[in-house]
Amino acid sequence: MRLRLRVNGEAREAEDVWEGESLLYVLRERLELPGSKNACEQGECGSCSVYLDGSLVCSCLVLAGQAEGREVVTVEGISEGDGLHPVQEAFVEAGAVQCGFCTPGFVVATHDLLRRVPEPGDAEVREALAGNLCRCTGYEKILAAVRLAARRMAK
Amino acid sequence: MEFIQPTSWREALEAKAALPGAVPIRGGTDVMVELNFARSRPQAILDLSRVEELEEWGIEDGLLRVGAGVNYTRIVEEIGDRLPGLAMASRTVGSPQIRNRGTVGGNLGTASPAGDALPPLYASDAEVEVASMDGSRRVPVADFISGPKQNALSDNELISAFYIANADGPQQYSKIGTRNAMVIAVCAFALALHPEQRKVGTCVGSAGPTPIRVEGAEDFIGGVLEEGDLWQSRGAIPDAALRRFGELVAGAARPIDDVRGTAEYRRHSAGVLARRTLGWAWEEYRGVRGAA
């Protein structure tokens, strides 16, 4: 089937989409947006997190056809122009990026948290990021990055 | 594989009647895992995410009627104050990403013994509304869930909503997992005090082929509360009665050993969760806890 949707503000189309295909597959393999990562394909790791009509979701659990006509924002779309978003900058500066595989998911989840709760407490940060797995940072630097981003964005 | 995307409830029922093998999908948090891992290849998928009727909730016949497509985030934010037990359970579902998609309707459809939303429905005598082109019917949740991943839906039926009373007293939900988030319950327990009916509602999750309502424990504690006139006096429940309540719940559990826990651990934890949740809810009823 043919799929039409808006991704990062642009109208996009994908041809020959299989009816059982995930939105994640469409983004990565058909629309050449490899920012969202494919790891667990069962909603456990959060590395494919995107916004679907403004709601944070695992794109591996969205059936491609469900995104027809919808608005998708990926990690490629959260900053304006070529610069980094303050959340992305904070991740780099705090050393929260190691192998980088989980980073796009954490960045989108953090972005979602900070637009809902500009000054989150530690418990809120942990609850908001609970759907994202990282196997190298030990999480402390990720928590530091979220706090740094929150401080900067609050200004 | 066929992909069907109705935009109204009537169209959805027509499609289900025409293609009884079509698998309904809404949040996708269960169905997509099956598809991604090639565990199932249904002849057709029926996407219910455009059916606005399923997104609605409101009062009908004095009960809350909650559309099957209302996700867990909305349950917590919009009706959590009316259904505190279900809200607590909903907050333990997966992660924000999962709660933004997953629905109680999906939990009922999947009918996993570990479905987090199910025990609170049992503890408050919820009913499931199912519909087909022939009409709709309401089924008590305990009759709807018939076994592990089995429910009372016919091939031409879809789940439209559930009916549940606004909380008339304190409610609790407690869940055991190996960490705080993103876990399938090793054991769970829902408890609801119904002061108007002078009843205590219970249900053990993840410790039997279906969630299990423990009528023996409900009757026992009901007797203790009546005998001591405790509903009226709001006196404390004797420790011995709390312990006995826990033992009765543990005795009614029918757990198995699996990757998440042993049957013995599940049975023990069911009793502990029952005793603790009753204690917490009763303290709240007495105004000792949660009253501020």
Side-chain angles (χ1 to χ4, degrees):
Chain A
M1 62 182 180
R2 175 189 287 181
L3 188 69
R4 298 176 203 81
L5 67 172
R6 284 186 75 78
V7 184
N8 299 330
E10 274 177 47
R12 301 290 304 263
E13 267 188 34
E15 300 284 347
D16 299 322
V17 174
W18 173 57
E19 287 73 15
E21 207 162 291
S22 68
L23 172 60
L24 174 63
Y25 189 90
V26 169
L27 292 172
R28 289 179 55 83
E29 308 298 334
R30 301 191 185 277
L31 302 181
E32 298 181 333
L33 289 166
S36 309
K37 296 292 179 270
N38 181 358
C40 74
E41 286 189 287
Q42 52 183 324
E44 289 276 340
C45 76
S47 58
C48 67
S49 296
V50 302
Y51 288 112
L52 176 65
D53 277 355
S55 178
L56 184 73
V57 303
C58 293
S59 58
C60 72
L61 298 184
V62 176
L63 189 62
Q66 294 185 305
E68 169 75 28
R70 304 285 199 204
E71 185 91 37
V72 175
V73 177
T74 70
V75 69
E76 287 97 340
I78 68 162
S79 58
E80 282 175 23
D82 290 336
L84 292 182
H85 185 276
V87 171
Q88 293 167 319
E89 270 176 9
F91 268 68
V92 173
E93 284 179 38
V97 176
Q98 287 197 29
C99 89
F101 199 84
C102 70
T103 309
F106 270 104
V107 165
V108 180
T110 302
H111 185 272
D112 181 53
L113 168 66
L114 296 182
R115 69 183 186 147
R116 288 182 291 116
V117 189
E119 294 177 58
D122 277 2
E124 282 169 304
V125 174
R126 285 172 185 273
E127 188 171 7
L129 299 187
N132 294 71
L133 287 179
C134 173
R135 301 287 79 158
C136 35
T137 64
Y139 296 108
E140 284 303 325
K141 294 192 171 183
I142 290 173
L143 296 174
V146 177
R147 287 190 283 263
L148 178 61
R151 277 201 304 279
R152 286 197 183 151
M153 289 168 66
K155 277 180 194 165
Chain B
M1 197 181 297
E2 210 177 321
F3 178 69
I4 311 162
Q5 192 165 59
T7 53
S8 73
W9 183 235
R10 185 172 174 88
E11 271 178 53
L13 293 176
E14 281 170 359
K16 187 64 176 157
L19 266 177
V23 171
I25 184 171
R26 198 285 177 192
T29 54
D30 285 335
V31 175
M32 284 304 290
V33 178
E34 299 289 303
L35 285 178
N36 288 342
F37 289 89
R39 287 189 205 127
S40 79
R41 286 287 179 261
Q43 61 167 143
I45 298 183
L46 180 59
D47 175 31
L48 300 175
S49 65
R50 317 255 152 160
V51 178
E52 287 181 10
E53 292 99 315
L54 292 176
E55 307 283 329
E56 296 165 358
W57 65 264
I59 301 283
E60 268 181 43
D61 307 335
L63 293 172
L64 266 175
R65 180 185 183 278
V66 184
V70 178
N71 66 42
Y72 291 110
T73 302
R74 289 185 58 209
I75 297 249
V76 173
E77 290 177 358
E78 297 174 25
I79 43 180
D81 55 340
R82 298 161 185 257
L83 301 172
L86 183 61
M88 283 183 214
S90 299
R91 262 189 88 185
T92 75
V93 174
S95 61
Q97 290 94 320
I98 303 294
R99 294 193 287 275
N100 283 344
R101 296 286 291 174
T103 62
V104 177
N107 234 193
L108 289 163
T110 299
S112 161
D116 290 309
L118 302 178
L121 300 187
Y122 280 64
S124 295
D125 295 308
E127 290 185 339
V128 183
E129 183 186 71
V130 301
S132 70
M133 288 303 286
D134 303 328
S136 69
R137 61 190 177 111
R138 276 160 67 168
V139 188
V141 65
D143 298 333
F144 181 77
I145 308 284
S146 51
K149 305 208 171 176
Q150 290 170 353
N151 61 37
L153 273 183
S154 301
D155 281 348
N156 62 344
E157 286 179 322
L158 294 169
I159 301 167
S160 43
F162 66 93
Y163 284 80
I164 191 167
N166 272 330
D168 58 332
Q171 300 184 344
Q172 279 290 336
Y173 179 83
S174 201
K175 169 175 167 180
I176 289 188
T178 44
R179 64 190 186 102
N180 277 342
M182 292 302 294
V183 286
I184 300 172
V186 175
C187 186
F189 190 78
L191 184 127
L193 298 185
H194 301 295
E196 287 166 21
Q197 306 166 64
R198 300 204 163 198
K199 265 179 55 185
V200 176
T202 61
C203 184
V204 191
S206 215
T210 66
I212 298 171
R213 180 141 194 181
V214 190
E215 283 166 9
E218 292 178 8
D219 292 345
F220 163 76
I221 202 69
V224 169
L225 297 173
E226 279 305 325
E227 220 166 86
D229 195 26
L230 298 180
W231 286 112
Q232 189 64 34
S233 70
R234 297 185 191 242
I237 299 176
D239 279 349
L242 286 173
R243 277 200 304 279
R244 182 67 191 139
F245 178 74
E247 285 165 14
L248 288 167
V249 168
R254 292 162 58 203
I256 55 168
D257 292 313
D258 72 6
V259 289
R260 296 197 299 278
T262 63
E264 192 188 354
Y265 178 75
R266 285 193 159 103
R267 184 180 296 285
H268 174 74
S269 57
V272 174
L273 295 181
R275 172 167 52 81
R276 287 186 186 163
T277 52
L278 176 59
W280 295 330
W282 193 257
E283 283 177 43
E284 188 183 334
Y285 179 67
R286 299 178 68 205
V288 176
R289 178 195 158 96

